[in-house]
Amino acid sequence: LHEPVYLEVKNQNNSVALPYDFTVCISTMFNFTNVLQLVQSLEMMQLLGVDRVVIYKSDCSPETQRVLDYYTQKGLVEVISWTISNHLKPSHSWRPQFDPGDIHYFGQIPALTDCVYRYMYQSRYVSLQDTDELILPQSVNSWLDLLPQLEKKYGVDKCYMFENNVFPYTVTLPLPASQKQTIESPGWKNVPGVNILAHLHHEPIIKETHDSNFKVIVNPRAVFRTSVHGLLKSEKGCAWVDRNIARMYHTRAGIQKLKPEQLVYDGRLLKYSDRLISAVNTVLKETKFLSKE
């Protein structure tokens, strides 16, 4: 038998100031082509106060790579080449019975674990989520204002779990008559991907889905072991965040089999729409998806 090989965890506690307030860890990006939603998500994260986004990338379209290069140059994004498929056969499904492999679902858990430890002494908080997910406060407008609320209500150094609300991108319903906000910009139809502002109706929260696919924000120095959803081991455990304080907006294919009229309207995202549209247009022009004229 071969002797086991141990890899030393290099990070160590010290008194230097943490350079980032909020880091988002995204794992893993594979077969990715959804350019518009990626830009919208990254711009929304910045509006919320995120100052670092770490993306573990297996592969993506050339158009996506253009966007990643842009944000890397700006200093927002760190792209980590996730070449696990060169060494193992990763499963391409979260359910191994449908696609067995050497490691679960593109190796998401090792990637997230790496991100937590990599940024443990670089960031006050980390959020473990996907590119199609946004954690939106309900009474304040940024994570900078949200976290003091959470610490006061649920305790410091907890992992805060946010309810998953699915906004199906396969359904587009009109806004209420009272809502006059703009939800898109000319030229977006020529950009590959989903416009999150056009899908503001979510599936109702039911008992069977309430506890599923949630994501977390946590002080990384209180984490020992993480998972795709929640933590496996931490210093002070986790707390469910009241949906009236903050919840997760997940713009993706629908999960429940519903008629459009069964969806629930939620216009919270429109509070950011003017700033978001302007910011997204700037990026799309600078990355040559839109004309600068």
Side-chain angles (χ1 to χ4, degrees):
L1 293 174
H2 295 291
E3 287 292 321
V5 177
Y6 294 96
L7 299 176
E8 181 184 356
V9 176
K10 295 289 187 181
N11 66 297
Q12 53 186 312
N13 195 354
N14 53 54
S15 58
V16 299
L18 303 174
Y20 304 109
D21 284 319
F22 296 103
T23 295
V24 171
C25 298
I26 293 175
S27 78
T28 59
M29 178 178 278
F30 49 89
N31 303 328
F32 195 91
T33 61
N34 191 352
V35 169
L36 181 57
Q37 188 169 358
L38 174 62
V39 173
Q40 290 178 330
S41 292
L42 291 173
E43 291 305 315
M44 269 301 304
M45 288 175 192
Q46 290 181 91
L47 292 176
L48 292 168
V50 173
D51 41 11
R52 192 65 160 171
V53 180
V54 188
I55 298 176
Y56 288 74
K57 187 196 77 173
S58 292
D59 54 86
C60 66
S61 67
E63 293 82 6
T64 299
Q65 188 61 51
R66 243 158 73 199
V67 170
L68 295 179
D69 291 343
Y70 170 84
Y71 282 108
T72 300
Q73 187 177 13
K74 291 287 185 183
L76 174 69
V77 167
E78 178 185 10
V79 176
I80 296 174
S81 182
W82 193 239
T83 58
I84 196 166
S85 58
N86 293 344
H87 312 282
L88 298 169
K89 180 179 180 275
S91 169
H92 288 215
S93 171
W94 66 273
R95 289 180 289 186
Q97 64 267 34
F98 293 110
D99 188 72
D102 300 322
I103 193 167
H104 179 253
Y105 206 26
F106 290 94
Q108 285 194 350
I109 295 175
L112 290 172
T113 300
D114 179 87
C115 192
V116 167
Y117 278 90
R118 186 180 293 254
Y119 277 85
M120 191 168 280
Y121 295 101
Q122 294 191 71
S123 189
R124 287 177 60 209
Y125 300 95
V126 297
S127 172
L128 310 179
Q129 62 181 84
D130 292 332
T131 55
D132 58 2
E133 297 168 335
L134 291 168
I135 295 169
L136 293 189
Q138 298 299 300
S139 62
V140 295
N141 292 322
S142 74
W143 289 4
L144 290 166
D145 295 325
L146 172 66
L147 264 295
Q149 286 186 341
L150 301 181
E151 290 179 339
K152 182 178 180 181
K153 184 174 179 64
Y154 301 107
V156 177
D157 293 339
K158 289 282 185 74
C159 100
Y160 306 110
M161 305 185 298
F162 299 89
E163 179 188 86
N164 179 33
N165 290 251
V166 173
F167 291 74
Y169 59 58
T170 50
V171 179
T172 303
L173 294 172
L175 298 180
S178 60
Q179 190 57 259
K180 304 298 182 184
Q181 233 97 348
T182 302
I183 61 170
E184 65 181 347
S185 187
W188 283 11
K189 290 186 179 359
N190 300 320
V191 181
V194 172
N195 173 16
I196 60 175
L197 292 172
H199 307 286
L200 301 178
H201 293 76
H202 68 82
E203 296 180 350
I205 301 300
I206 58 175
K207 182 179 178 182
E208 290 78 8
T209 63
H210 179 267
D211 297 338
S212 66
N213 299 331
F214 64 92
K215 295 297 168 68
V216 302
I217 295 176
V218 66
N219 170 0
R221 293 162 297 287
V223 178
F224 298 113
R225 295 173 60 201
T226 188
S227 182
V228 177
H229 306 291
L231 304 180
L232 298 177
K233 186 178 180 184
S234 63
E235 283 188 351
K236 296 188 178 180
C238 296
W240 275 106
V241 174
D242 186 320
R243 64 176 279 110
N244 295 314
I245 296 175
R247 52 187 182 261
M248 189 170 75
Y249 290 58
H250 193 177
T251 308
R252 51 154 294 165
I255 295 176
Q256 302 176 40
K257 295 181 179 178
L258 300 170
K259 296 177 181 178
E261 57 268 24
Q262 293 176 284
L263 298 175
V264 180
Y265 172 72
D266 183 332
R268 175 64 178 160
L269 196 57
L270 293 177
K271 298 292 183 183
Y272 303 87
S273 62
D274 289 344
R275 289 180 294 160
L276 177 61
I277 290 171
S278 176
V280 168
N281 280 337
T282 296
V283 175
L284 293 177
K285 289 173 184 175
E286 293 188 1
T287 51
K288 297 182 168 53
F289 286 97
L290 295 179
S291 169
K292 290 190 176 183
E293 295 179 3

